[in-house]
Amino acid sequence: MTPTSTGHDHESPMPRITTDVLIVGAGGAGMYAAIAAAREGATVLLLDKGQVGRGGATIMAQMTVAVALAEQEPDSVERHFQDTLDAGRGLCNEQLSWLLCEDGPRRIREMERWGTRWAREDGHVKQEMAPGHSVKRCCYVDFLNTGPAVAATLRRKVSEASTIRRISNLSVIEILVRDGRAIGALALDLVDGQFISIHAKAVILAAGGLTKLYQRNSASANMGGEACALALWAGAELIDMEFVQFFPIGHLAPRLVGMDPIMWDPFRYKLGGKLLNGRFEEFIDRYGSSDFGRYNAMRDLAAYAILKEVETGRGTPHGGAYLDFRHIPESQLRAAFGPVIDRLLANGIDLTKTPVEVGPMAHYHMGGIRVDVNMQTRIEGLYAAGEAVGGANGANRLSGNAITEAFVFGERAGLQAAESVKGLESNWPDDVARELIQQFDELRNVRSIETTTPIAIQAELQNMMWENVGPFRTGEKLSPALERIQQMQQELPGLRIGRVDRFNLDLQDWFELRAMLTTAEAVATSALARRESRGAHQREDFPAPDDSFLKNQALRLENDKLATSWIDPVRLKDNASRHG
Ligand SMILES: Cc1cc2nc3c(=O)[nH]c(=O)nc-3n(C[C@H](O)[C@H](O)[C@H](O)COP(=O)(O)OP(=O)(O)OC[C@H]3O[C@@H](n4cnc5c(N)ncnc54)[C@H](O)[C@@H]3O)c2cc1C
């Protein structure tokens, strides 16, 4: 990409693009934010390090969207809100949770007007039950097509707005802040290796989650937690970083090509299915829930139960549990999942004959960037949206809440950012990115004798995060992990970066690793400090919840070091604050 169209300053030594609102990341949250900002009159630059609208989690989601439409049975915003708080184990930012539940129906109806075909029956949007929801609330697009369908709708809508400029293959590596205000960003062109400065009056971080930090994950290649690192370096705060959701029944075996590793969830919504240990025994009841043939156990409990069975030697060959649909007639399987059954057969999986192996994998992050109810961080003009935001789901997320969150928070961030720039003068000192560029350019000129590549360290980090900062944690495992992460940060400048300009993957991996290490450090630091077990954060050395920890943990950088503060969760005090 070489930015030669309007806004590119040819006199400048470095390509520069100008816009009112810069959006970093073009998944569900970023695209919704772009649409909302454009309809509020702002010019928008929507960037993605992958392909716009195809790079992150949104397009991968095949399952459901939780929203109180009350199409199948009575439901209300209050009820969805209460279920969200119950799942969040006392740590939800209630203003954000309320916003998610209250605005969800508006966004889902809007998506339908824009062309998303939610599955319908007898004139009603079909809604399914899912764990933790007290009513049938989860809508979807058949068959296992929710993410691709909503992404296509948003891509179309974005392309209709002439004031939204889209650029793919541009990775934002730093947010630029002057006098306490975000004024743009520095990006790396992944094709030709050039740095590009972007001058904006407001910036929205919608760069998604961090599950690629873990060796076992359901993530796309672009989910290395860069949004959190960018926010932290810019001076914003992070919150609840210890709460990584491990999806209990990610696909482990047999090999599955071209299908979502967490696709078994909708099978369980619709058909149940038995969860069995390596000895073909049902076992969830041993861990305080009942799941027999149905799908009731919450995600954190199911993940715990499976890993405990594995630990006690009752796991399956690939270290998980069996999911068994053999008792369900083929006609019923086909009625529920038609073409998907054939895709499974093409993968050599016949559900009427063989159970599949499933196990926990990193899937979603409840923590993230700390924002107010307008999605603004503590840095003026710096907003966040989608999975990058922390707080709405507390210590554990209900299934289906993440896509709703992406749409609702995206819309809110876009609207607020666009309003905030009205009448605002540009503020772009010329030297603003120069120092950073010099620093980064030196990287490419170092003839390192080091042979270790950034990708090798990424792999080491992912393995260590899974082993030491994974679903079950102890102080003994967390402390050395934190030390090694800090050591890796010292090693960063010496890593080998090839000297080619075009398609330099080492350079791309280097910048990604730099952000991954910052975010991993934030997760490990928070996990070590929370000496209790709550929701998705399980400490084997502190196995019970402890109400002295009924607080959120906020992190910020002070003199380049992480500083922690414990804060009371934001509560909804009265009706007025619900709309604040
Ligand atoms: C396999 C899978 C299935 C899921 N299923 C469901 C489901 O059924 N229901 C549900 O509610 N939730 C589901 N989730 C979670 C949900 O999909 C996500 O939380 C949500 O889509 C996040 O949207 P987002 O826009 O915040 O992030 P994303 O959709 O991940 O988009 C972030 C974008 O930012 C880009 N990016 C990252 N870093 C940079 C950078 N430095 N510069 C520029 N661009 C950058 C990425 O390329 C990406 O395109 C699922 C997640 C996965 C992984």
Side-chain angles (χ1 to χ4, degrees), residues 360-541:
M361 53 182 63
H363 177 55
Y364 174 83
H365 186 219
M366 275 71 70
I369 302 167
R370 188 177 180 200
V371 293
D372 63 20
V373 77
N374 291 326
M375 302 294 131
Q376 191 171 224
T377 67
R378 67 175 189 164
I379 302 298
E380 217 184 323
L382 181 60
Y383 296 78
E387 189 171 337
V389 166
N393 296 289
N396 189 35
R397 170 180 71 93
L398 286 179
S399 60
N401 263 10
I403 292 188
T404 315
E405 170 186 74
F407 295 167
V408 169
F409 292 2
E411 195 271 346
R412 173 64 69 109
L415 179 72
Q416 294 296 325
E419 273 188 358
S420 78
V421 303
K422 282 182 184 160
L424 203 68
E425 291 294 315
S426 298
N427 170 26
W428 183 261
D430 264 350
D431 64 335
V432 77
R434 206 172 295 141
E435 210 178 294
L436 271 170
I437 300 286
Q438 265 167 9
Q439 198 182 312
F440 292 141
D441 262 339
E442 279 166 22
L443 267 175
R444 281 190 278 197
N445 297 327
V446 171
R447 274 190 192 277
S448 175
I449 48 161
E450 184 63 73
T451 52
T452 312
T453 55
I455 200 71
I457 301 290
Q458 275 196 27
E460 184 193 339
L461 176 69
Q462 289 173 312
N463 283 324
M464 188 179 70
M465 289 297 284
W466 180 256
E467 293 300 330
N468 290 36
V469 196
F472 300 109
R473 300 157 174 183
T474 61
E476 259 178 40
K477 288 201 244 169
L478 290 166
S479 297
L482 196 51
E483 264 175 47
R484 180 66 189 121
I485 292 168
Q486 286 158 353
Q487 214 175 38
M488 288 173 176
Q489 285 168 334
Q490 305 300 318
E491 292 166 13
L492 256 181
L495 297 181
R496 197 192 75 195
I497 294 176
R499 301 199 66 186
V500 291
D501 281 334
R502 290 183 68 75
F503 301 108
N504 186 335
L505 290 182
D506 287 340
L507 194 63
Q508 185 176 328
D509 294 337
W510 189 91
F511 278 107
E512 194 171 270
L513 175 64
R514 171 174 172 261
M516 285 171 81
L517 287 171
T518 296
T519 303
E521 186 185 10
V523 176
T525 301
S526 302
L528 188 61
R530 184 173 288 282
R531 296 199 307 276
E532 63 152 358
S533 290
R534 182 181 299 275
H537 171 70
Q538 293 292 321
R539 285 282 300 253
E540 295 196 283
D541 44 356

Side-chain angles (χ1 to χ4, degrees), residues 295-414:
Y295 187 27
N296 305 318
M298 284 228 213
R299 287 180 170 178
D300 49 356
L301 188 132
Y304 181 79
I306 293 172
L307 287 180
K308 280 291 152 192
E309 288 295 294
V310 174
E311 205 178 277
T312 46
R314 296 191 294 265
T316 57
H318 291 85
Y322 288 116
L323 186 57
D324 190 355
F325 296 99
R326 284 176 298 176
H327 57 292
I328 297 172
E330 189 177 351
S331 56
Q332 213 176 318
L333 288 171
R334 284 200 171 275
F337 289 102
V340 182
I341 302 298
D342 293 320
R343 283 172 69 193
L344 284 168
L345 283 172
N347 269 280
I349 299 173
D350 182 347
L351 293 180
T352 63
K353 295 201 173 75
T354 5
V356 291
E357 282 183 65
V358 294
M361 53 182 63
H363 177 55
Y364 174 83
H365 186 219
M366 275 71 70
I369 302 167
R370 188 177 180 200
V371 293
D372 63 20
V373 77
N374 291 326
M375 302 294 131
Q376 191 171 224
T377 67
R378 67 175 189 164
I379 302 298
E380 217 184 323
L382 181 60
Y383 296 78
E387 189 171 337
V389 166
N393 296 289
N396 189 35
R397 170 180 71 93
L398 286 179
S399 60
N401 263 10
I403 292 188
T404 315
E405 170 186 74
F407 295 167
V408 169
F409 292 2
E411 195 271 346
R412 173 64 69 109

Side-chain angles (χ1 to χ4, degrees), residues 24-30 47-51 54-65 170-173 206-209 218-220 222-223 226 230 260-262 363-364 385-388 397 399-406:
V24 184
L47 292 189
D48 203 285
K49 68 185 286 184
Q51 293 295 306
R54 298 175 201 270
T58 304
I59 200 165
M60 297 174 76
Q62 297 189 340
M63 303 192 305
T64 62
V65 184
L170 215 51
S171 178
V172 169
I173 54 175
S218 66
S220 86
N222 295 344
M223 294 169 68
E226 290 172 64
L230 290 168
D260 180 349
I262 66 155
H363 177 55
Y364 174 83
E387 189 171 337
R397 170 180 71 93
S399 60
N401 263 10
I403 292 188
T404 315
E405 170 186 74

Side-chain angles (χ1 to χ4, degrees), residues 123-417:
H124 292 281
V125 173
K126 271 200 202 170
Q127 294 189 275
E128 296 287 343
M129 195 70 182
H133 292 281
S134 56
V135 299
K136 289 183 175 176
R137 182 178 289 139
C138 296
C139 55
Y140 53 93
V141 178
D142 266 328
F143 287 95
L144 298 187
N145 207 25
T146 303
V150 299
T153 301
L154 291 171
R155 280 200 308 272
R156 196 175 333 109
K157 206 64 200 160
V158 162
S159 69
E160 284 168 14
S162 60
T163 48
I164 303 175
R165 183 174 177 197
R166 295 157 283 161
I167 306 182
S168 299
N169 300 319
L170 215 51
S171 178
V172 169
I173 54 175
E174 199 89 30
I175 302 300
L176 300 173
V177 176
R178 227 346 123 86
D179 302 328
R181 187 173 179 97
I183 56 166
L186 193 63
L188 175 72
D189 183 332
L190 300 179
V191 175
D192 65 13
Q194 272 196 89
F195 293 116
I196 291 166
S197 70
I198 298 149
H199 171 189
K201 295 176 188 165
V203 179
I204 300 174
L205 284 168
L210 54 62
T211 45
K212 191 189 160 185
L213 291 180
Y214 289 90
Q215 181 252 329
R216 259 196 199 180
N217 66 61
S218 66
S220 86
N222 295 344
M223 294 169 68
E226 290 172 64
C228 289
L230 290 168
L232 206 56
W233 296 330
E237 286 183 313
L238 306 180
I239 194 162
D240 294 343
M241 291 299 286
E242 63 273 39
F243 293 109
V244 178
Q245 185 168 63
F246 293 91
F247 182 76
I249 53 168
H251 186 88
L252 298 180
R255 196 154 173 263
L256 187 65
V257 179
M259 296 180 82
D260 180 349
I262 66 155
M263 60 174 280
W264 298 115
D265 229 28
F267 274 75
R268 300 211 76 204
Y269 295 135
K270 288 193 181 180
L271 300 165
K274 292 180 187 166
L275 203 53
L276 308 172
N277 65 17
R279 298 176 187 168
F280 293 94
E281 303 158 340
E282 293 191 281
F283 59 91
I284 291 279
D285 62 319
R286 294 179 191 152
Y287 302 91
S289 182
S290 64
D291 204 42
F292 295 123
R294 293 305 321 157
Y295 187 27
N296 305 318
M298 284 228 213
R299 287 180 170 178
D300 49 356
L301 188 132
Y304 181 79
I306 293 172
L307 287 180
K308 280 291 152 192
E309 288 295 294
V310 174
E311 205 178 277
T312 46
R314 296 191 294 265
T316 57
H318 291 85
Y322 288 116
L323 186 57
D324 190 355
F325 296 99
R326 284 176 298 176
H327 57 292
I328 297 172
E330 189 177 351
S331 56
Q332 213 176 318
L333 288 171
R334 284 200 171 275
F337 289 102
V340 182
I341 302 298
D342 293 320
R343 283 172 69 193
L344 284 168
L345 283 172
N347 269 280
I349 299 173
D350 182 347
L351 293 180
T352 63
K353 295 201 173 75
T354 5
V356 291
E357 282 183 65
V358 294
M361 53 182 63
H363 177 55
Y364 174 83
H365 186 219
M366 275 71 70
I369 302 167
R370 188 177 180 200
V371 293
D372 63 20
V373 77
N374 291 326
M375 302 294 131
Q376 191 171 224
T377 67
R378 67 175 189 164
I379 302 298
E380 217 184 323
L382 181 60
Y383 296 78
E387 189 171 337
V389 166
N393 296 289
N396 189 35
R397 170 180 71 93
L398 286 179
S399 60
N401 263 10
I403 292 188
T404 315
E405 170 186 74
F407 295 167
V408 169
F409 292 2
E411 195 271 346
R412 173 64 69 109
L415 179 72
Q416 294 296 325

